[in-house]
Structures are given as structure tokens and as C-alpha cells.
């Protein structure tokens, strides 16, 4: 007679309840931990953000923490951190139209700190320039008045661009066109 006989006994009602209890208890704990972690991240990142919106009929001048100026056009939204971190790049998020006058700012080790304007399809990276941006969903127009700006496309198939003073870049989601400065 074999001592190690296994019996295929269906789980009892109590075994099913016990498994459901532990499964439900662990899922509940995971949900609570996820909620607490989300709340902490929101407090850390979300509370330090400033959002400026303009109505349908009006412009608004915004002075950023680094003394850069933004003239926000009608029906536009600008988000930025309340305090720019001294070691990181200066970042703003734009939906709509705005004119930027970016202050040239150096880090402690004498490198120029980048200023980044995030739009849905691309990022505009500057150090100290004046330029205008019109960003409506996947369509963006960037016009550089003076200095240099670097355009980084979020679509990895498109190469980055460097704009010279007076140039205008238009992007419609599929095509990129750069128009040269008008001759005087």
C-alpha cells in the first residue's frame, strides 16, 4: 500500500472564502498604498505649480521666477513651477499663444541654464532669447526674434532643429517647414 496517495478533493466552501478574504485584503491594502503614494506625488509636484489662464478677450503679462517675461495671448494657458530649481532647467508648459522674453541665466559652474517651453508635439529650448509660440494641439508655429533656439520634436522620427533670428518654424503634426527671415 502506497503511503503517499493524493486525493483530489474539491476545495470546500471555507477554503474558497479564505482565499477570497486574503485576496481581497491584499487588494485593499494595495489600493490604499497606491492612493497614499498618488497623494504624496500630487502634493510634491502638483502643489508647486502655478497656472495662468487668459480669457477670450485679453492678454496677460506673466513674470516668471527667473525674471523672464511672458505675454500670454487670449484663450491661452501657461503652467510653471512656483520656484525654479537652481540646478535644473527652467520649464513652462504652454497651450495657446505667447511671446517669451527669456533672461540669460548661468548656473554656479558658469553653464547657461536652459529654458524649456513644452507644447504637445515639441519642446523649445532657449537660454536667453525672444521668441513667439502659437501651440494649438498638434500644430505649432515658432518665430524667433533674436538669439537661438533649439526645437526638439517628441516624434523621434523628426530631427531636431536650430532656429536663427528671424526664422519661423511651422509644424502641423506631419510636416515641418522653416521660413527664412524676411530680407529688408
Amino acid at each position: 500500500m502506497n503511503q503517499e496517495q493524493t486525493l483530489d478533493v474539491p476545495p470546500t466552501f471555507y477554503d474558497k472564502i479564505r482565499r477570497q478574504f486574503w485576496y481581497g485584503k491584499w487588494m485593499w491594502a494595495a489600493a490604499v498604498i497606491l492612493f497614499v503614494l498618488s497623494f504624496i506625488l500630487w502634493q510634491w509636484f502638483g502643489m508647486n505649480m502655478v497656472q495662468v489662464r487668459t480669457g477670450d478677450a485679453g492678454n496677460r503679462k506673466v513674470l516668471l521666477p527667473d525674471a523672464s517675461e511672458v505675454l500670454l495671448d487670449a484663450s491661452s494657458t501657461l503652467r510653471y513651477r512656483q520656484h525654479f530649481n537652481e540646478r535644473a532647467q527652467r520649464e513652462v508648459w504652454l497651450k495657446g499663444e505667447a511671446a517669451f522674453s527669456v533672461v540669460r541665466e548661468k548656473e554656479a559652474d558658469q553653464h547657461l541654464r536652459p529654458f524649456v517651453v513644452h507644447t504637445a508635439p515639441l519642446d523649445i529650448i532657449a537660454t536667453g532669447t525672444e521668441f513667439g509660440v502659437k501651440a494649438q494641439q498638434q500644430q505649432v508655429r515658432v518665430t524667433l526674434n533674436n538669439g537661438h533656439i533649439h526645437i526638439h520634436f517628441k516624434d523621434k522620427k523628426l530631427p531636431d532643429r536650430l532656429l536663427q533670428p528671424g526664422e519661423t518654424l511651422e509644424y502641423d503634426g506631419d510636416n515641418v517647414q522653416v521660413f527664412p527671415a524676411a530680407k529688408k
Side-chain angles (χ1 to χ4, degrees), residues 17-37:
I17 294 294
R18 190 174 336 153
R19 267 189 253 136
Q20 288 176 352
F21 174 76
W22 283 107
Y23 179 73
K25 194 175 190 179
W26 286 112
M27 292 302 286
W28 178 254
V32 168
I33 290 170
L34 184 62
F35 174 76
V36 169
L37 184 61

Side-chain angles (χ1 to χ4, degrees), residues 12 15 37 42 47 52 87 134 152 155:
T12 66
D15 291 335
L37 184 61
W42 177 74
M47 294 296 285
V52 180
R87 285 171 264 142
K134 183 175 184 179
H152 172 74
D155 179 359

Side-chain angles (χ1 to χ4, degrees), residues 35-71:
F35 174 76
V36 169
L37 184 61
S38 299
F39 181 75
I40 290 170
L41 288 173
W42 177 74
Q43 287 288 324
W44 182 260
F45 293 109
M47 294 296 285
N48 293 328
M49 296 296 285
V50 175
Q51 182 167 307
V52 180
R53 290 183 183 188
T54 57
D56 291 338
N59 297 342
R60 186 166 177 188
K61 189 174 184 177
V62 179
L63 185 63
L64 298 175
D66 67 343
S68 294
E69 293 180 1
V70 180
L71 181 59

Side-chain angles (χ1 to χ4, degrees), residues 64-82:
L64 298 175
D66 67 343
S68 294
E69 293 180 1
V70 180
L71 181 59
L72 201 57
D73 225 9
S75 302
S76 298
T77 303
L78 181 74
R79 283 187 8 197
Y80 60 94
R81 288 192 176 88
Q82 194 171 15

